[in-house]
Amino acid sequence: MTTTTNARVLEHPTRDQIRLEEVLHALADSVRLRIVRDMARESTELSCSYFDLPVTKSTTTHHFRVLRESGVIQQMYRGTAKLNCLRRSDLDALFPGLLDSVLAAADAQDGREGGAG
């Protein structure tokens, strides 16, 4: 039997495959942290075009891939749009308090820097 790969189906780690070091790596980048903060604030699926990032489109694609492959976000296609959502329930179940702590720390850092985030 031959299997075909569908470019519209994106690979994601299962909850059990999500590793702390990969999540921390994904969250350590300021652009990726900005994406996660926007997703946490909006609490809904967001298209890639929602994010106004100070990087090229190819770099944006890279950042979303790192977030997806680390298990921080889930991406799915709806028509021609690629939608993104935070895997909050998975992250909270695996690493209780981690996401909230990182988000609170990022907010506190912005406060110290005068909101430059």
Side-chain angles (χ1 to χ4, degrees):
M1 173 181 237
T2 321
T3 57
T4 58
T5 57
N6 183 348
R8 308 284 291 175
V9 176
L10 300 163
E11 294 290 324
H12 297 84
T14 64
R15 179 183 281 191
D16 292 341
Q17 293 172 323
I18 296 173
R19 306 283 306 157
L20 177 62
E21 55 273 23
E22 292 177 20
V23 170
L24 292 174
H25 168 75
L27 296 174
D29 180 87
S30 62
V31 172
R32 292 192 291 265
L33 182 56
R34 179 174 167 179
I35 292 168
V36 170
R37 291 174 74 189
D38 285 349
M39 290 179 153
R41 184 183 64 250
E42 296 298 327
S43 296
T44 189
E45 296 173 347
L46 299 171
S47 69
C48 293
S49 63
Y50 171 88
F51 301 90
D52 183 24
L53 303 173
V55 295
T56 64
K57 185 174 180 177
S58 63
T59 302
T60 297
T61 300
H62 166 75
H63 286 307
F64 277 101
R65 182 176 51 79
V66 170
L67 288 167
R68 177 177 45 83
E69 290 178 351
S70 68
V72 174
I73 68 169
Q74 177 148 5
Q75 293 184 302
M76 71 290 294
Y77 282 100
R78 294 259 169 78
T80 58
K82 187 187 287 183
L83 298 180
N84 305 279
C85 64
L86 197 55
R87 292 181 66 177
R88 181 179 277 283
S89 62
D90 288 334
L91 295 173
D92 288 346
L94 292 167
F95 317 113
L98 175 67
L99 187 57
D100 288 334
S101 294
V102 168
L103 295 171
D107 288 344
Q109 179 172 283
D110 275 359
R112 288 193 320 269
E113 296 174 354

